[in-house]
Amino acid sequence: MEIINHNPYRLLGIFGNLSIRDIVSQASKMKAHMKVGQTIDAPLQMNRWLSDLVLTEQEVKSAEDLLRNPSEKDRYAMFWFEKHNDEDEQFVNLFSEKKVDEAMACLSGRNDHAALQNMLTAGLIMNNWQDVLYLAMCLHKKETDIKLFLDTLCREVNISVLRNSFKPLSHSAKDDAITAMWQQQIDEKASDYHNRCLEDFYKKVVGINPRHTEAMKETLEQFLPLSEHIEALKDILGEDNAIYQARAEKYIEKIWSFTELCLSNKAGNIFILPKIARRCRDLAVMEATKKRFDNLAREWEKAYQSYLEDIEKKELETPEEIKEESVEEPYENVSLRERFKVIPSRKHQLTASMALMKKLGCIYLFIFWLLVLIAWMLFH
């Protein structure tokens, strides 16, 4: 995580609640050591947990300058260790050596700001998101602080991961007002994320050349997993929410118009069409739309089954774009990504191998008798 690996407090090897004066003093000390070719190793750099630091004077100066900014100083302090007493320093020393249980024992029974912040930072380093969110909820109870914390964290951690980690906490938290504030902020960020993913994909679709058949087919396949964002919006906003319903209808409109475009350009995929129709039926809000796509799903399922039966009976010619050598029987488990490709059966492969061996045997026999004839002519 960038907020941890390149945290200016980590780069300088100091606690996050030091004064500007102490920060400048540490930076000056580090630069003085660097000028004579020496470095300062500190437990707070967490080199056993994180990537090793190889700093330059410029990086030290940049870290110092960043922490001179009060707002940045506070933001980075949200994601780093604090020192309230000697126990906090002992915690850091043990945790830096990966002695987690011993380190946590140092903070046993404490619930002050420094103890909570140190456990939160340890949770960030170990990617324990449920603990991180619980401790952050204990520490940050103002809307501005919650927003700043989540804004920073969501740059590096998928909001869906955070939301799923927060769900158990939302049911067991004691302070309903604080929990509701956190839930609202997380839901807003999750909603924005899923909306952004959908809109970015829709923009990408517009730029695809309909003449590029393979690109059309691949994009059509990518449309299906995209519906996970619609399902997530349904979970966040609720099925009766107008915004969710509008997003669902827009998704159906986009996927089906693109499907029709694929079909008109002979880039359709009979294996995936029934799934698309069923997905549109399941996401549809209007009953008329549900019925329409239910009928389409049945229609395409019949077409798919008929296609497989025709291949088996050898009554349907494989399309030119995917025509391969003829086979004696269809491959039973054709994946979507094969896109109509029928793989030769093992029986066919064995038959082909035997035919090749017969040809080679005839050639070798001809060469043998030719050599016998030449030898007879030379000796007589």
Side-chain angles (χ1 to χ4, degrees), residues 197-223:
C197 289
L198 289 166
E199 291 301 325
D200 288 347
F201 188 80
Y202 297 154
K203 290 176 184 177
K204 171 189 170 183
V205 169
V206 173
I208 296 175
N209 188 338
R211 294 182 180 180
H212 294 166
T213 305
E214 286 304 314
M216 294 283 282
K217 287 182 179 180
E218 289 174 6
T219 304
L220 187 60
E221 289 182 7
Q222 292 169 9
F223 250 114

Side-chain angles (χ1 to χ4, degrees), residues 56-207:
T56 63
E57 285 188 54
Q58 182 56 46
E59 287 172 322
V60 171
K61 184 179 184 305
S62 297
E64 178 189 350
D65 292 342
L66 199 58
L67 295 179
R68 284 177 179 274
N69 182 329
S71 60
E72 288 296 282
K73 182 179 185 296
D74 293 341
R75 183 171 75 90
Y76 279 106
M78 285 181 166
F79 300 90
W80 201 244
F81 300 97
E82 284 188 10
K83 182 181 177 181
H84 177 68
N85 56 36
D86 292 340
E87 288 179 350
D88 297 315
E89 190 166 5
Q90 186 181 3
F91 168 84
V92 168
N93 291 335
L94 290 169
F95 186 78
S96 68
E97 296 175 2
K98 291 197 170 184
K99 297 177 180 178
V100 179
D101 292 338
E102 294 178 42
M104 292 299 176
C106 294
L107 304 180
S108 178
R110 286 178 54 187
N111 61 356
D112 57 279
H113 191 282
L116 296 174
Q117 181 62 44
N118 290 337
M119 287 189 285
L120 182 149
T121 307
L124 286 167
I125 291 172
M126 295 187 293
N127 295 333
N128 192 334
W129 305 121
Q130 190 167 318
D131 284 353
V132 165
L133 291 172
Y134 171 75
L135 292 162
M137 196 162 53
C138 295
L139 287 165
H140 307 301
K141 301 183 179 182
K142 293 181 181 178
E143 187 175 353
T144 52
D145 292 340
I146 296 170
K147 188 174 186 306
L148 179 61
F149 182 87
L150 288 174
D151 281 346
T152 305
L153 190 59
C154 288
R155 293 174 192 172
E156 305 187 49
V157 183
N158 189 302
I159 185 61
S160 297
V161 173
L162 296 179
R163 190 169 184 274
N164 290 333
S165 299
F166 189 77
K167 280 182 180 179
L169 301 176
S170 63
H171 299 304
S172 60
K174 296 178 181 179
D175 194 331
D176 292 338
I178 299 300
T179 305
M181 203 181 304
W182 271 87
Q183 186 72 66
Q184 181 184 356
Q185 290 283 345
I186 289 173
D187 285 349
E188 285 179 4
K189 292 195 173 300
S191 181
D192 290 344
Y193 165 74
H194 293 298
N195 283 327
R196 189 168 62 252
C197 289
L198 289 166
E199 291 301 325
D200 288 347
F201 188 80
Y202 297 154
K203 290 176 184 177
K204 171 189 170 183
V205 169
V206 173

Side-chain angles (χ1 to χ4, degrees), residues 360-378:
L360 290 173
C362 291
I363 293 171
Y364 291 147
L365 187 62
F366 173 77
I367 293 171
F368 172 76
W369 285 112
L370 181 62
L371 291 173
V372 170
L373 179 61
I374 292 172
W376 183 83
M377 290 176 66
L378 287 175

Side-chain angles (χ1 to χ4, degrees), residues 166-285:
F166 189 77
K167 280 182 180 179
L169 301 176
S170 63
H171 299 304
S172 60
K174 296 178 181 179
D175 194 331
D176 292 338
I178 299 300
T179 305
M181 203 181 304
W182 271 87
Q183 186 72 66
Q184 181 184 356
Q185 290 283 345
I186 289 173
D187 285 349
E188 285 179 4
K189 292 195 173 300
S191 181
D192 290 344
Y193 165 74
H194 293 298
N195 283 327
R196 189 168 62 252
C197 289
L198 289 166
E199 291 301 325
D200 288 347
F201 188 80
Y202 297 154
K203 290 176 184 177
K204 171 189 170 183
V205 169
V206 173
I208 296 175
N209 188 338
R211 294 182 180 180
H212 294 166
T213 305
E214 286 304 314
M216 294 283 282
K217 287 182 179 180
E218 289 174 6
T219 304
L220 187 60
E221 289 182 7
Q222 292 169 9
F223 250 114
L224 274 175
L226 193 72
S227 65
E228 292 176 2
H229 295 293
I230 301 295
E231 295 289 353
L233 288 172
K234 180 180 178 180
D235 181 51
I236 296 167
L237 303 173
E239 190 174 4
D240 297 329
N241 183 276
I243 296 175
Y244 158 71
Q245 292 181 354
R247 287 292 178 183
E249 291 294 327
K250 184 174 182 178
Y251 171 80
I252 293 171
E253 175 194 344
K254 292 287 185 180
I255 189 174
W256 196 249
S257 62
F258 190 79
T259 301
E260 291 179 328
L261 180 63
C262 288
L263 291 172
S264 64
N265 287 277
K266 298 181 179 179
N269 184 336
I270 199 168
F271 290 94
I272 202 172
L273 289 172
K275 289 190 175 184
I276 291 174
R278 287 195 295 270
R279 189 63 54 86
C280 290
R281 176 199 63 195
D282 295 340
L283 292 175
V285 177

